[in-house]
Amino acid sequence: MKIDSHQHFWKYDPIKEAWITPEMAVIQKDFLPQDLKPLLSQNNFEGCIAVQADQSENETHFLLELARENDFIKGVVGWVDFKAPNIEERLEYFSGFKKLKGFRHIFQAEPDPEFMLRNDFCNGIGKLAKYNFTYDILIGAQQWPFVTPFIQKFPEQHFVLDHLAKPDFKKSDFTEFEKTIQSIAKNPNVCCKVSGLVTEAHWHNWKPDDFKTALDIVTQNFGSDRLMFGSDWPVCLLSANYSEVIALVENYFTSFSTADQKALWGNNAVSFYNLEV
């Protein structure tokens, strides 16, 4: 059982997808299930998790509709306004959608690096566990100092760290990254996605060794039972195609046990997102 735990779909709109800048022209187009399905099949993946890329409930419904139409989309990570006074009502509503597994907010887009610690935002996060929703943590280095205090507010909440917390693979110093990962991984309710690697490296000039130190750090701290593979397709196309992303991760984990590899490639995602496969 192989599950791609992190990918995106969109109908490209230059206003809605304003984050896709001119140097990212390769992804300035539609990416839909019919584009991903053959890639999954070619690489022996049974399914995927579709993750929000736009901060609106319309995005959540868009992904849920795609999941309804395509069985290989096993789950959706959507968006909801956690600061809203009626957040519990919205979570109650979304709990009626079987394939909606959890939510995400794009912390790195917030001007305030401490946004995740806001009382109104945390009020919403505190209601997720009641409905068995997961939460994907998307951060960059500017949010590293605040993520452990955020996580520790919610010991019963199931979290997963997207993209290894986005270390800069263009640099060789991973000291602060290691401290951050050590701190996060001490919380047993947090998993980590081995995803988004190539987009944080030199897009057209990376090599596998660029990622070894960071991968060593996350595997040593999270252990094989809390890691899951994600392609970050189509964003990965800025730097590598789908098969190249898979090969990069395969090569690193080739010496791990069969059980550890099965956990990484699918079993952990099935368990974390409570997938029906």
Side-chain angles (χ1 to χ4, degrees), residues 12 20-29 31 203 237-238:
Y12 178 69
I20 304 179
T21 52
E23 64 269 25
M24 303 164 78
V26 68
I27 59 172
Q28 285 181 333
K29 61 179 184 177
F31 289 94
W203 286 356
L237 298 177
L238 297 169

Side-chain angles (χ1 to χ4, degrees), residues 7 30 55 62 64 113 125 148 156 167 204 251 267 270:
Q7 52 76 215
D30 296 354
Q55 308 214 111
F62 165 68
L64 285 170
I125 297 294
T148 295
E156 304 304 315
H204 307 295
N251 289 340
N267 291 352
V270 170

